[in-house]
Amino acid sequence: MNIGIVTVFPELFEVLGCGITGRALRGGLIGLSMWDPRDYTQDAHRTVDGRPYGGGPGMVMRVAPLQAAIAAARAELGEGCRAVYLSPQGARLDQRRVETLSGGGPLVLVCGRYEGVDERLVQLAVDEELSIGDFVLSGGELAAMALVDAITRLLPGALGHAGSAPQDSFADGLLDCPHFTRPQRVAGLEVPAVLLSGDHEKIAQWRLKQALGRTYERRPDLLAERGISDAEQQLLNEYLAER
Ligand code: 9WO
């Protein structure tokens, strides 16, 4: 999976050298390339921004350097690639979208700074605008890194022990169940006995019940979207009765 990053701060992406993404990079499972719009400017000051038409505070990223950087990235990554602009105005990213992007062609992730990019750049060179949540950052880079991380961990072979990804939160449209490790008692709080029973069938049932209960309590919107089977409704009823 090849991903181009259009950013005036390429050094921010060094953090992806750690952990799962770092191993995926070293193993060639993902390829990251950086495209700095400043390298595609014509003036001595390497200007990438301009004052906003209509006035107001701050600066706006100009079309030409961004467009040239995106074009250069596209040319190297192949014309089948999609350009994604990360911004709070984008469609909300969710695990389903991550799965689609992870299984698709190369990506160019466009990171804005300042007050944003000239809207004509979005019209001319961006295929899709995505948001990772309803909050404002100082630039699109952290959102792009979140997307790279989420995509990478879905690639076959990215996770050490195979089968971790499908058990993640959201794999089945549910929040994750609680997890416990040693010691058995912490500040008077015990690990649920069923997890010590060795009965893998019962443990799986307990985990599903917890996942259903937590999703119902914390994210009823997810549960409504996903739907619930009769057997699962039974488990959810047990969970609520046990509260
Ligand atoms: C800055 C600003 C300053 C004064 C008044 C309004 C303002 N809006 C912004 C703004 O939205 N800046 C953005 C910074 C411009 C595009 C890149 N930036 C960004 C991307 N911030 N947050 C994101 C982002 C991306 C994806 N998902 C969540 C947030």
Side-chain angles (χ1 to χ4, degrees):
M1 175 97 196
N2 287 314
I3 303 178
I5 310 283
V6 174
T7 174
V8 292
F9 290 123
E11 61 282 11
L12 287 175
F13 289 80
E14 284 170 23
V15 301
L16 293 175
C18 295
I20 300 284
T21 48
R23 196 174 50 194
L25 281 162
R26 290 188 293 275
L29 207 54
I30 53 169
L32 279 190
S33 53
M34 297 295 148
W35 307 88
D36 187 341
R38 278 194 208 288
D39 295 336
Y40 299 87
T41 53
Q42 309 284 344
D43 65 312
H45 295 106
R46 314 222 302 158
T47 309
V48 295
D49 59 342
R51 292 160 55 206
Y53 279 116
M59 300 294 270
V60 173
M61 293 187 85
R62 295 162 63 101
V63 170
L66 277 173
Q67 192 173 25
I70 294 169
R74 275 190 197 280
E76 183 162 298
L77 296 173
E79 282 305 312
C81 72
R82 290 177 70 75
V84 176
Y85 175 50
L86 287 310
S87 98
Q89 285 73 46
R92 252 313 257 286
L93 182 69
D94 58 16
Q95 192 65 18
R96 187 189 305 158
R97 195 80 199 95
V98 174
E99 282 165 19
T100 305
L101 292 171
S102 187
L107 295 173
V108 177
L109 305 184
V110 182
C111 305
R113 280 272 152 177
Y114 318 113
E115 268 57 72
V117 310
D118 188 311
E119 190 61 26
R120 293 164 297 183
L121 182 277
V122 180
Q123 292 174 249
L124 290 170
V126 168
D127 299 300
E128 181 170 6
E129 197 168 344
L130 288 178
S131 164
I132 64 163
D134 294 335
F135 46 84
V136 181
L137 301 164
S138 305
E141 285 82 2
L142 285 168
M145 284 187 252
L147 180 53
V148 170
D149 185 280
I151 286 172
T152 300
R153 55 202 319 294
L154 293 183
L155 296 173
L159 301 178
H161 108 271
S164 283
Q167 287 176 24
D168 274 356
S169 187
F170 292 122
D172 187 27
L174 296 174
L175 300 183
D176 214 352
C177 63
H179 300 283
F180 301 88
T181 187
R182 296 197 296 174
Q184 212 173 300
R185 184 211 287 269
V186 173
L189 297 175
E190 290 278 349
V191 174
V194 59
L195 299 179
L196 310 173
S197 69
D199 184 338
H200 297 292
E201 187 66 37
K202 257 175 64 183
I203 291 169
Q205 284 281 301
W206 180 86
R207 286 180 170 156
L208 176 57
K209 187 199 288 189
Q210 295 297 314
L212 289 163
R214 281 152 64 112
T215 310
Y216 174 83
E217 287 175 340
R218 302 181 191 192
R219 294 295 306 276
D221 58 311
L222 291 178
L223 206 52
E225 163 96 0
R226 173 187 179 273
I228 188 168
S229 72
D230 289 347
E232 288 169 345
Q233 184 64 58
Q234 183 92 30
L235 282 175
L236 178 55
N237 292 344
E238 285 177 29
Y239 176 94
L240 294 170
E242 288 163 15
R243 292 277 94 183

